[in-house]
Amino acid sequence: MIQGFYMQSNNTFTIKYYDEIIKKAKSNDYVFVTVHEYFDLGCPTTGYFILRHDLDKHPQTLQKQLDVEISNGVRSTIYARVTANDYNVLSYPVLKMLRGAEDDGFEIGLHTNFVEYATINSLDPMKVLSMENELLSSFFDVRGLAPHRDLNYAYNSLPFIKRNWNEIKTIGFDYEAYDDQIFSSCVYVNEGFNPHLCWRNNAPEDVIETGVSIYMMTHNHWWYDENPFEEWR
């Protein structure tokens, strides 16, 4: 861990810490790109940093991370849900925030649990995925998708995506966020429970020292200024 990192000893995910990660990467000459840009570049194995946000819930907490990125002159990819109980992507504040982000150079993609949704509601998974993409693409330039699953998920969409990728591409997607090419070219960094909230494998500041390309996925609702309960939940 970096000496002097804010409350580093217990892996608290503060906005200050998030800012320090980006600043350290920039000082080590990393080039920040969106997921789609990284694929367009051919997935280089060194010197690139991908910031990814899975917008699972509490979308009002995302703007703090986006503000840090804007202040540092970098951009990220945001995957938003369409069939979700946790928020409405078409609600006034969420749609406004995401459209503003895309106007500022951020990438908006689809975060989907279409197999679970289709199974629970006795629907065709491909029709659900097509509907989600059609709706989100009505407002955004959607190029990619990333499957979503809750901690207590019943069905995982990723195996279905892998098996049926050639057909899924015809819906209008250029890539899926768990493509083997990106995982073989980058070190994947993400937070999760093991058993408490922490970096699952590597801390990003440690990987930065190696110079290898980094694919960092975060969940906005776990990042905060002063404490995890400062936003209305």
Side-chain angles (χ1 to χ4, degrees), residues 33-47:
V33 291
T34 65
V35 178
H36 188 259
E37 289 171 339
Y38 186 73
F39 276 111
D40 281 350
L41 289 166
C43 298
T45 57
T46 59

Side-chain angles (χ1 to χ4, degrees), residues 13-207:
F13 292 98
T14 66
I15 295 301
K16 181 177 180 181
Y17 177 34
Y18 190 70
D19 181 61
E20 289 176 329
I21 293 167
I22 294 174
K23 283 182 166 57
K24 179 174 177 62
K26 290 185 68 177
S27 70
N28 281 265
D29 297 322
Y30 273 85
V31 177
F32 283 79
V33 291
T34 65
V35 178
H36 188 259
E37 289 171 339
Y38 186 73
F39 276 111
D40 281 350
L41 289 166
C43 298
T45 57
T46 59
Y48 283 84
F49 202 121
I50 308 163
L51 294 173
R52 164 182 162 185
H53 303 286
D54 283 6
L55 190 57
D56 288 357
K57 58 181 69 175
H58 307 310
Q60 71 274 17
T61 64
L62 175 64
Q63 190 62 54
K64 292 178 180 180
Q65 286 182 291
L66 302 188
D67 288 344
V68 168
E69 292 163 21
I70 291 170
S71 69
N72 282 285
V74 303
R75 296 298 182 266
S76 60
T77 297
I78 305 159
Y79 294 107
R81 300 172 68 186
V82 172
T83 51
N85 289 327
D86 298 283
Y87 66 90
N88 177 7
V89 72
L90 299 183
S91 67
Y92 300 140
V94 176
L95 187 64
K96 182 178 180 180
M97 175 183 65
L98 294 178
R99 291 185 71 187
E102 187 176 63
D103 288 344
D104 282 337
F106 293 82
E107 177 190 3
I108 308 299
L110 175 64
H111 198 32
T112 176
N113 58 343
F114 68 99
V115 170
E116 177 174 286
Y117 189 87
T119 302
I120 291 172
N121 292 288
S122 301
L123 299 169
D124 180 347
M126 290 298 294
K127 288 184 178 179
V128 172
L129 182 60
S130 181
M131 174 276 295
E132 289 186 309
N133 183 57
E134 183 177 357
L135 188 150
L136 200 63
S137 295
S138 297
F139 298 93
F140 305 101
D141 181 20
V142 176
R143 304 293 186 89
L145 77 160
H148 165 78
R149 59 182 183 178
D150 293 306
L151 290 176
N152 59 340
Y153 73 96
Y155 304 95
N156 183 358
S157 295
L158 184 56
F160 185 98
I161 293 172
K162 296 290 189 183
R163 290 194 307 270
N164 299 281
W165 179 239
N166 287 335
E167 183 180 0
I168 289 171
K169 284 194 298 185
T170 66
I171 293 175
F173 297 106
D174 293 341
Y175 73 86
E176 57 95 356
Y178 290 95
D179 187 281
D180 292 342
Q181 184 180 9
I182 194 170
F183 274 82
S184 64
S185 303
C186 294
V187 172
Y188 184 60
V189 175
N190 69 317
E191 358 90 312
F193 292 94
N194 189 30
H196 304 295
L197 185 61
C198 62
W199 293 116
R200 284 189 183 273
N201 295 304
N202 305 291
E205 59 269 23
D206 295 333
V207 183

